[in-house]
Amino acid sequence: MIDQHLRAAKLATVLLGYRRDEVVYERGAPAQFIYAVTEGTLCRLRVLEDGRRLILQFLFPGDVFGYELGRNHRHTVQALTKDTRVLSVGREALLEASKSDAQLSHFLFTAAARAEAVASEHSAMLLGRSITEQIALFLLEMDARISRGGEIALPMRRRHIADYLGRRLESVSRTFTAFHKAKVIEFLGNPKIRRQVVIPDKRRLERLAAPVVGRPTE
Amino acid sequence: MIDQHLRAAKLATVLLGYRRDEVVYERGAPAQFIYAVTEGTLCRLRVLEDGRRLILQFLFPGDVFGYELGRNHRHTVQALTKDTRVLSVGREALLEASKSDAQLSHFLFTAAARAEAVASEHSAMLLGRSITEQIALFLLEMDARISRGGEIALPMRRRHIADYLGRRLESVSRTFTAFHKAKVIEFLGNPKIRRQVVIPDKRRLERLAAPVVGRPTE
DNA sequence: CGTGTAGTTGATGCTCCTCAATTTTTGTGG
DNA sequence: CCACAAAAATTGAGGAGCATCAACTACACG
């Protein structure tokens, strides 16, 4: 996808590899490259002074990240999985090329517009939601993005889910347990390994995600 | 800003006016135009089945909205102020022109990238924040965006602030009262009119926004 | 096989929501 | 400009939901 555009624009790319928890760049670092995920999962995050971590986005293959309006990166990006691969291209060269290459520029616009839509969806799963709704929405999002044959292999830990939803990890864990007991989700393989999820009845999860609090009298 | 680009691309624009609470477009409507605010304030929102409103963004002069990746608008946009003015341009024509006009395309990329940054900031003020932190962050954002001579004339009602922060309006009201009692904010003119805000000591508000929960022993 | 990390479960308390009443402000027509 | 009604904002009491602190279990990795 992106590499076609880059090749067409004769831009040099470098393929980078990261291990689990390895940092691609830190918040505040000069924005020298723009990246596209080719394999694995990463997250875009901010760390507050008191140690809290806010995860703003999970990045999956195809996602573009690292373009900034200013000189520096606004967030830290970190790999979640062992074998994460990322394609990088010089930011200055790319933005310069895009000024005369409408195709490329249009591609960048599309990537940014998609990133905006993703961020808006994230806000929508945070605004005024109970943790039950949040986890339901989260599972539906993961189902849409990374499920294969009805199975979701979650690449992130409970901790990351908590930081993504603005909750404590204990609360996330409790909600997973509650969903499992209510048979809203099932765990694959060893039932103690709870990173492989199946959703037997998506309708039910959707109802948990957007509860129509009985309005028969309204 | 935007009108220069539009004129350069020889695109026809229409200036529209809206009254308070008037809707520019509804979620689901075909995305026919792209808009830029020239005067007043609007908000981008979603309404859930159970009546909850989520406000995803406040739109001030200079902000661009209405571009979509799909065929339809994802959110409703509504005016907050009496005399709101908005510049509109045909979406198809604009996107078509941008495919061969790198300048225009680059402008669109910039607008989308800025929208993404705004949305990320919004997420960051939602993730794991207490209502005290949220209101402090909200006031700082409004100070940065619409203050004149140190005075902030809030164009939105408590209800909108609540929907923007995912809180109940009673909680928002209580926090404003608490800030006022603690002299973190002051109300201008008739002290009963609480839509004109002054921040006497910004440092103090910033500390409320990102509390460094004493780490002297860490 | 032992150690560190991830995840689960339990008890308790605080924040913020909920429901309700009251006050204040805004908008309208005389 | 004033009187009135409707809308917006404030305040209070009580309770639910989730955070917090803590203990424990299971798994991953050398």
Side-chain angles (χ1 to χ4, degrees):
Chain A
M1 189 63 181
I2 188 181
D3 35 343
Q4 293 166 14
H5 286 277
L6 298 180
R7 264 194 285 274
K10 298 211 168 100
L11 288 164
T13 62
V14 178
L15 187 62
L16 303 164
Y18 296 93
R19 287 187 294 261
R20 211 180 80 145
D21 294 338
E22 215 172 338
V23 168
V24 178
Y25 56 74
E26 293 268 9
R27 169 178 164 91
Q32 297 178 313
F33 300 95
I34 288 176
Y35 308 82
V37 185
T38 61
E39 205 182 320
T41 308
L42 307 92
C43 67
R44 207 151 55 84
L45 62 95
R46 179 181 301 183
V47 180
L48 299 187
E49 297 82 348
D50 60 358
R52 281 180 293 178
R53 272 198 333 184
L54 319 181
I55 292 185
L56 297 157
Q57 192 184 2
F58 290 115
L59 298 160
F60 300 107
D63 286 336
V64 176
F65 64 97
Y67 52 80
E68 308 285 351
L69 290 170
R71 218 173 277 270
N72 301 303
H73 287 299
R74 291 166 298 135
H75 304 117
T76 298
V77 169
Q78 194 174 36
L80 292 182
T81 48
K82 207 165 41 184
D83 299 309
T84 303
R85 252 168 262 282
V86 155
L87 194 69
S88 73
V89 56
R91 175 172 168 270
E92 283 297 336
L94 179 59
L95 291 182
E96 198 49 50
S98 78
K99 278 180 188 161
S100 56
D101 182 340
Q103 289 274 315
L104 184 60
S105 191
H106 191 260
F107 170 78
L108 280 178
F109 164 64
T110 306
R114 184 169 297 122
E116 190 275 328
V118 167
S120 285
E121 279 308 304
H122 188 203
S123 291
M125 73 198 284
L126 298 175
L127 279 167
R129 303 286 190 174
S130 71
I131 192 163
T132 303
E133 289 175 70
Q134 288 185 321
I135 298 287
L137 287 165
F138 172 77
L139 288 169
L140 289 169
E141 186 189 338
M142 289 307 121
D143 181 55
R145 295 217 62 182
I146 55 170
S147 73
R148 301 213 175 163
E151 302 179 9
I152 311 173
L154 294 175
M156 69 289 284
R157 296 161 242 163
R158 298 289 185 264
R159 181 71 215 267
H160 297 118
I161 301 174
D163 292 341
Y164 182 64
L165 298 176
R167 301 290 178 173
R168 318 264 67 207
L169 64 84
E170 296 94 325
S171 302
V172 171
S173 179
R174 276 184 242 274
T175 308
F176 268 88
T177 303
F179 278 17
H180 186 225
K181 283 190 179 156
K183 297 201 205 302
V184 173
I185 56 173
E186 277 165 25
F187 297 120
L188 272 191
N190 180 341
K192 293 294 168 57
I193 302 172
R194 294 168 132 142
R195 298 269 285 267
Q196 302 264 89
V197 177
V198 174
I199 303 171
D201 181 358
K202 211 182 285 188
R203 288 283 168 77
R204 232 177 118 206
L205 201 56
E206 281 163 0
R207 253 169 304 165
L208 287 173
V212 180
V213 283
R215 290 182 300 166
T217 57
E218 237 179 69
Chain B
M1 188 63 182
I2 187 179
D3 36 342
Q4 294 165 13
H5 286 277
L6 298 180
R7 265 193 284 275
K10 297 208 168 106
L11 289 164
T13 62
V14 178
L15 186 62
L16 303 164
Y18 296 93
R19 286 186 296 260
R20 210 179 83 145
D21 294 338
E22 216 173 337
V23 168
V24 178
Y25 56 75
E26 293 268 8
R27 170 179 164 90
Q32 296 179 313
F33 299 95
I34 288 176
Y35 307 82
V37 185
T38 61
E39 205 181 320
T41 309
L42 306 92
C43 66
R44 209 151 55 83
L45 62 94
R46 179 182 300 182
V47 180
L48 299 187
E49 296 82 346
D50 60 359
R52 281 179 292 178
R53 272 197 334 181
L54 319 181
I55 292 185
L56 296 156
Q57 192 185 0
F58 290 116
L59 297 160
F60 300 107
D63 286 335
V64 176
F65 65 96
Y67 53 80
E68 307 285 350
L69 290 169
R71 217 173 278 270
N72 301 304
H73 287 299
R74 291 165 298 136
H75 304 117
T76 298
V77 169
Q78 195 174 36
L80 292 182
T81 48
K82 207 165 43 183
D83 298 310
T84 303
R85 252 167 262 282
V86 155
L87 194 69
S88 73
V89 56
R91 176 172 168 270
E92 284 297 337
L94 179 60
L95 291 183
E96 197 50 50
S98 77
K99 280 180 189 163
S100 56
D101 182 340
Q103 289 272 317
L104 184 60
S105 191
H106 190 260
F107 170 78
L108 281 178
F109 163 65
T110 306
R114 183 169 298 123
E116 189 275 329
V118 167
S120 285
E121 279 308 305
H122 188 205
S123 292
M125 74 197 282
L126 299 175
L127 280 167
R129 303 284 191 174
S130 72
I131 192 164
T132 303
E133 288 175 70
Q134 288 185 321
I135 297 287
L137 287 165
F138 172 77
L139 288 170
L140 289 169
E141 185 189 338
M142 290 306 120
D143 181 55
R145 295 217 61 182
I146 56 170
S147 74
R148 301 212 175 163
E151 303 179 9
I152 312 172
L154 293 175
M156 68 290 283
R157 297 163 240 160
R158 298 289 185 263
R159 182 69 218 264
H160 297 117
I161 301 174
D163 292 340
Y164 183 63
L165 298 176
R167 301 290 178 174
R168 316 264 67 206
L169 64 85
E170 296 94 325
S171 302
V172 171
S173 180
R174 276 184 243 274
T175 308
F176 268 89
T177 304
F179 278 19
H180 187 224
K181 282 190 180 158
K183 298 200 204 305
V184 173
I185 57 173
E186 276 165 24
F187 297 119
L188 269 192
N190 180 343
K192 292 294 167 59
I193 302 172
R194 294 166 132 139
R195 299 267 286 266
Q196 302 263 92
V197 177
V198 175
I199 303 171
D201 181 0
K202 210 182 285 188
R203 287 283 168 77
R204 226 172 126 211
L205 201 56
E206 280 163 0
R207 254 169 304 167
L208 287 172
V212 181
V213 283
R215 289 182 300 166
T217 57
E218 237 179 70

